[in-house]
Amino acid sequence: MFEKCEAIVIRATDYGETNKIVTFFTREWGKVAAMARGAKKPSSRLSAVTQLFTYGYYLIQRSRGVGVLQQGDIIDSMRATREDIFTAAYASYIVELTDKITEEHQRNPYLFELLLQTLQYMNEGRDLEILASIYETKMLSVMGIPPKLDYCAICGRTEGKFSFSIKEAGFLCHRCEQYDPHRIPLSAAAVRLLRLFYYMDLSRLGAISVKEETKKELRSVLSSYYDEYSGLSLKTKRFLMQIDELKKVSGSRKHQAESESGNG
C-alpha cells in the first residue's frame, strides 16, 4: 500500500542504469529509503522530485528495507541552493549530518522542522556559516551530547568571563580556567551566541550579523566538540573546509584588486 508523506530528499544514490535509491527525511516516519525506478532518465516523472534537497509530498510504499517511490509533488525545489556552489556545499553538509545521526523509521517532527527551516533559509540567501553553526549546536542535544552552556562546568557559576573546555564539555568561568590549560578563549559575543543558537526557535530568526572573528570562535568550539564527542567523519565537512578556504582566497584577491584599482 502506498502512503503519502511530507519529505525532504537527503540522499540519492544511482542504482543500475536508470534507477535511484532515494533517502527521504519525512515528517511522519523519520528517515526512509525508497527505490525510484527510472529516475535517472531526464524524461522520467521521478527525475525532478528526487533531486537532493527537494521538499515535497511523496507516495511511498514502505518496507523494512528499501521501499518503492510511486510519485512526488514538489513544494520547494530548492533550486537556488543547487545552483550555487557555496550554498550547495553547506546544504550538503546539513543533510549528511542529519543522515548520519538518525536511524531509519524513527519519527522526529522537531528535527524535520529544523532541517526544513534551515534549508529554506539557506535557499533564501541567509548567512550560510551562521545557519550551519545554529544547526550544529542544536543537533548536539539530538545526538545526546549536550554541552553545559548555562553555567561553569566546574563550579556552576552563571556570571563572569567564560572560555570553553572540550574536556569538561562546557563553559569554564575565569575562576576555574586552571582546570583546563587547553580551553578555548571566547569573547562575550561568542558565549552569548552559543547559548542563543542552542535555545532559540529557528523560525523566529531575524536579521543577524556576526563578525568574522566571532564566527572563527564558534567554528573552533563546534569543530573541536564534534571531533571529540560525535564520532562522525563527514565527506561534506571536509569539502566545506576546502570551499571556505577557496572563498577566503577569492575574497582576498578581490580586495587586493580593488585596493590596486583605488590606488591607481
Side-chain angles (χ1 to χ4, degrees), residues 130-149:
I130 290 301
L131 287 170
S133 293
I134 293 173
Y135 198 83
E136 285 179 317
T137 306
K138 289 186 172 300
M139 293 299 271
L140 294 174
S141 61
V142 176
M143 290 187 282
I145 52 171
K148 303 176 187 75
L149 299 178

Side-chain angles (χ1 to χ4, degrees), residues 127-191:
D127 191 311
L128 298 169
E129 194 169 341
I130 290 301
L131 287 170
S133 293
I134 293 173
Y135 198 83
E136 285 179 317
T137 306
K138 289 186 172 300
M139 293 299 271
L140 294 174
S141 61
V142 176
M143 290 187 282
I145 52 171
K148 303 176 187 75
L149 299 178
D150 292 326
Y151 48 83
C152 174
I154 299 293
C155 71
R157 285 188 175 91
T158 58
E159 301 296 329
K161 179 177 173 55
F162 290 95
S163 55
F164 194 93
S165 170
I166 301 300
K167 183 180 75 170
E168 301 296 338
F171 289 143
L172 291 184
C173 72
H174 61 278
R175 302 173 186 86
C176 298
E177 288 180 347
Q178 72 272 17
Y179 288 100
D180 184 2
H182 304 293
R183 66 192 179 278
I184 302 171
L186 291 178
S187 63
V191 170

Side-chain angles (χ1 to χ4, degrees), residues 6 8 25-27 55 108-121 135 138 201-203:
E6 185 181 350
I8 301 160
F25 198 77
T26 74
R27 186 185 294 277
Y55 164 52
N108 190 332
Y110 163 78
L111 184 51
F112 176 85
E113 201 61 47
L114 180 64
L115 175 62
L116 176 60
Q117 185 72 78
T118 302
L119 290 175
Q120 287 180 328
Y121 279 153
Y135 198 83
K138 289 186 172 300
D201 179 352
L202 188 60
S203 66

Side-chain angles (χ1 to χ4, degrees), residues 85-86 88-90 92 234-245:
I85 186 172
F86 296 113
Y90 275 92
S92 295
L234 307 181
K235 293 179 181 178
T236 51
K237 180 68 172 180
R238 295 191 293 273
F239 180 64
L240 200 54
M241 292 168 70
Q242 294 171 351
I243 286 287
D244 281 339
E245 286 303 315

Side-chain angles (χ1 to χ4, degrees), residues 69-137:
L69 173 66
Q70 186 182 61
Q71 69 179 64
D73 294 308
I74 295 174
I75 300 173
D76 191 338
S77 68
M78 307 287 179
R79 181 178 175 181
T81 295
R82 283 194 300 275
E83 291 180 345
D84 180 81
I85 186 172
F86 296 113
T87 311
Y90 275 92
S92 295
Y93 170 59
I94 291 302
V95 296
E96 187 187 11
L97 177 58
T98 306
D99 189 15
K100 291 292 186 184
I101 70 165
T102 53
E103 300 292 334
E104 291 196 358
H105 308 292
Q106 290 190 359
R107 185 172 180 267
N108 190 332
Y110 163 78
L111 184 51
F112 176 85
E113 201 61 47
L114 180 64
L115 175 62
L116 176 60
Q117 185 72 78
T118 302
L119 290 175
Q120 287 180 328
Y121 279 153
M122 287 183 170
N123 196 60
E124 290 169 8
R126 301 266 197 124
D127 191 311
L128 298 169
E129 194 169 341
I130 290 301
L131 287 170
S133 293
I134 293 173
Y135 198 83
E136 285 179 317
T137 306

